[in-house]
Amino acid sequence: MVAGGFGVGKTTLIGSVSEVAPLRMEEPITEESTGVDDLRGTPGKTTTTVGMDFGRIHLAGGSLALYLFGLPGQIRFRPLWEDLTEGALGCLVLADTRNLDACHGALTLLEERGTPYAVAINTFPDAPVHPDAELREALALDPATPLTRCDARDRASSLYALITLAEYLTTRPAATSPAPLESLR
């Protein structure tokens, strides 16, 4: 999954790496969203994801296929977030230093559901740059949680962020699984 706040670059990241034409469920931003969606950091934004984005990429020489599901950024879509996290192996959370609070809803959901994640700071040209230690503290990240930077418009940069997540998912200690039913008898 790819999650994060409104306008952080989730659709852009999936579009930059997908080997198939990405599925985008976007609608025009209307006056009804005034006061609901914060457009301060994205004044040129004219559409918003109202369902999900979908793309696919192969890594590790083609032996690993990642199916990318981009979540809508607004908290009002939390029921959809919950459905899409079901069975997800992990999530790349995009964050924007101009509004770090916008990704807290996604981080909270992932932690509640026990879904492992990595965080990628999307490097917007006008965004302030902060040291990793400050970002980790502001996002309350566990020391083992990967933190990287990317430019969602750049394929190589976005691939690096996804590889960071994939490496974390394949090298972290496995979560304890429930005991088989037979052992409970």
Side-chain angles (χ1 to χ4, degrees):
M1 292 184 315
V2 179
F6 176 74
V8 76
K10 301 173 297 291
T11 299
T12 301
L13 183 136
I14 290 173
S16 76
V17 299
S18 184
E19 298 166 342
V20 297
L23 169 67
R24 294 185 172 139
M25 296 180 184
E26 292 188 308
E27 290 294 325
I29 295 174
T30 64
E31 287 204 24
E32 284 80 19
S33 70
T34 302
V36 177
D37 296 329
D38 184 359
L39 296 173
R40 283 178 292 173
T42 55
K45 189 167 177 62
T46 60
T47 61
T48 187
T49 301
V50 296
M52 67 175 182
D53 297 314
F54 173 79
R56 184 189 71 217
I57 181 77
H58 285 87
L59 299 176
S63 64
L64 175 64
L66 295 183
Y67 293 90
L68 305 171
F69 295 89
L71 306 182
Q74 301 93 322
I75 194 77
R76 67 179 176 268
F77 290 108
R78 184 176 168 122
L80 179 60
W81 297 357
E82 291 171 353
D83 289 345
L84 289 172
T85 59
E86 192 68 36
L89 297 177
C91 184
L92 181 65
V93 178
L94 283 181
D96 179 351
T97 59
R98 298 171 300 180
N99 184 7
L100 283 177
D101 289 340
C103 71
H104 282 294
L107 292 173
T108 299
L109 171 76
L110 296 168
E111 289 171 3
E112 287 172 358
R113 313 256 312 167
T115 305
Y117 61 89
V119 175
I121 304 298
N122 193 4
T123 55
F124 290 94
D126 60 338
V129 177
H130 300 284
D132 286 357
E134 287 180 19
L135 293 168
R136 286 185 166 285
E137 183 177 339
L139 296 171
L141 296 180
D142 182 274
T145 301
L147 175 65
T148 189
R149 296 171 196 273
C150 74
D151 179 339
R153 301 166 299 176
D154 181 72
R155 179 178 171 79
S157 180
S158 296
L159 281 173
Y160 178 78
L162 289 170
I163 290 167
T164 299
L165 172 63
E167 287 176 343
Y168 174 61
L169 294 175
T170 58
T171 60
R172 72 185 195 92
T176 56
S177 56
L181 290 177
E182 298 82 44
S183 68
L184 297 176
R185 294 183 184 170

